[in-house]
Amino acid sequence: MSSRGFLVCADITGYTGYLSHSELEHATGTLADLLRLLLAHVQAPLHLSRVEGDAVISYATAAAGIPGQLVVDQLDDTYVAFRRALEQMVLNTSCRCNACANIGELDLKFVVHHGEFAVQRLGQQDELVGPEVNLLFRLAKNRIRQSLGLPGYVAFTAEALEALALPGFGETLRDHTEDDSERGRIALHVRDMRPVWEAQKDRVPVTIPAAEVVASHSEVVAAPPEVVFALLAEPATRTVFFEADGMTVDRLADGRIGTDAVYVCAHGDTVIRQTVIDWSPPHRYAFSNPIPGGLTMTGTFRLDPVAEGTRVTVVVGVPRGIKAALMRPILRRQMSRWLDHAFASLVRWVKAERAGAPG
């Protein structure tokens, strides 16, 4: 049975040259560690197909109904983790062999396509078959590094870019063409990943100190993290969770919600602007917004996969101080009531999603 969806090839840049100019024992150990990292980061909405040499092949079916943003965010997360691992390897080694000295020359590239394919279960792996899969493999051997000078990048085909459905995202990409042996000239849209690394390398998760916590709620929801995250992040469903009359998003970055984006929540005549201060789909995000008394409230969402689905933990807090101490009893009652109602709404949404009915 065939499916439609995203096809992704993650490939270590400089792999062949690194092996050729390095001591084999140390080089293979380094590459094995990096491949294990890539495998660990093939997480929903992506699913692992197989490893081929220095490449990891994964896919996401359109039937899962996952927003295109989650695919891009997952690639960002994988790239940042890969670069962070390289940086740590360089810092932690005192070995003077070529294999250790040349670690910094490695990088990571992705090719992303969208089309029809079949999944065949062979042994312990999902084998992807079909003309679109073959095209992905051919495009993985491209001239982007030579033409654009980018060692780390994501190359989207036109079909993949359209399927992402992210207005404005394509405007941030660089155009490139490849001559394919079967289909002629193929347009690729290339994202330089160096700015992604520079923007995210020093970020740490936002946490709320115990002394500042006003209210919290943790509950298991019967759906995978990527589905729950989409419900908690998309304005239409987030409106229900936050008991708002309506919600929009300002300050999108290349068509995507992310750090510094602002959820504009309408509650009658009151408008609350929640600024995203942490964003790591589908695992966590955090926001902050002003509240009366000149205070700032922070909320964190953490999603952990469990056997029954996803444990969702929400924590709300305000900084310590005289004003906060005076308002804390009121805020605790308000936030506890809101969290009870919000989680009830989330459970209803998940049940509706699983039943294929509107919420």
Side-chain angles (χ1 to χ4, degrees), residues 72-134:
V72 179
D73 288 340
Q74 185 62 46
L75 299 183
D76 284 2
D77 184 65
T78 302
Y79 185 81
V80 171
F82 184 91
R83 286 295 303 268
R84 187 170 286 124
L86 287 180
E87 189 176 77
Q88 287 301 312
M89 288 178 179
V90 172
L91 291 174
N92 293 339
T93 185
S94 58
C95 179
R96 296 180 179 272
C97 75
N98 289 331
C100 295
N102 295 335
I103 290 173
E105 297 180 7
L106 299 172
D107 213 313
L108 183 63
K109 60 187 179 185
F110 301 89
V111 176
V112 184
H113 184 40
H114 190 278
E116 186 175 6
F117 56 91
V119 181
Q120 296 180 344
R121 188 67 176 172
L122 298 178
Q124 298 299 312
Q125 65 186 29
D126 290 340
E127 187 71 21
L128 305 178
V129 295
E132 305 307 321
V133 179
N134 297 336

Side-chain angles (χ1 to χ4, degrees), residues 10 12 15 25-43 48 51 53-56 78 81-82 85 89 108:
I12 298 176
Y15 172 88
E25 182 178 356
H26 281 199
T28 53
T30 297
L31 293 171
D33 288 342
L34 293 174
L35 282 173
R36 279 192 288 268
L37 181 147
L38 292 180
L39 289 172
H41 278 77
V42 178
Q43 300 174 7
L48 177 66
V51 177
D54 62 327
V56 175
T78 302
F82 184 91
M89 288 178 179
L108 183 63

Side-chain angles (χ1 to χ4, degrees), residues 98-181:
N98 289 331
C100 295
N102 295 335
I103 290 173
E105 297 180 7
L106 299 172
D107 213 313
L108 183 63
K109 60 187 179 185
F110 301 89
V111 176
V112 184
H113 184 40
H114 190 278
E116 186 175 6
F117 56 91
V119 181
Q120 296 180 344
R121 188 67 176 172
L122 298 178
Q124 298 299 312
Q125 65 186 29
D126 290 340
E127 187 71 21
L128 305 178
V129 295
E132 305 307 321
V133 179
N134 297 336
L135 175 61
L136 177 77
F137 292 150
R138 295 197 300 273
L139 291 176
K141 297 176 173 60
N142 58 61
R143 295 186 54 79
I144 291 175
R145 185 173 188 178
Q146 295 89 327
S147 298
L148 302 181
L150 304 180
Y153 60 82
V154 182
F156 299 93
T157 63
E159 293 83 356
L161 186 59
E162 181 180 3
L164 289 175
L166 294 173
F169 181 67
E171 298 172 8
T172 68
L173 309 180
R174 298 175 65 176
D175 293 335
H176 175 77
T177 57
E178 287 287 330
D179 291 320
D180 182 65
S181 58

Side-chain angles (χ1 to χ4, degrees), residues 5-6 42 88 104 110 112 125 127 131 142 157 168 179 198 270 296 298 317-318 322 326 335-336 343 347:
F6 289 100
V42 178
Q88 287 301 312
F110 301 89
V112 184
Q125 65 186 29
E127 187 71 21
N142 58 61
T157 63
D179 291 320
E198 292 298 327
T270 302
T296 298
T298 300
V318 293
I322 296 176
L326 293 173
M335 292 299 100
S336 296
F343 271 84
V347 170

Side-chain angles (χ1 to χ4, degrees), residues 250-265:
D250 286 347
R251 292 167 58 181
L252 296 176
D254 55 29
R256 297 185 296 153
I257 302 170
T259 303
D260 296 327
V262 178
Y263 286 103
V264 183
C265 313

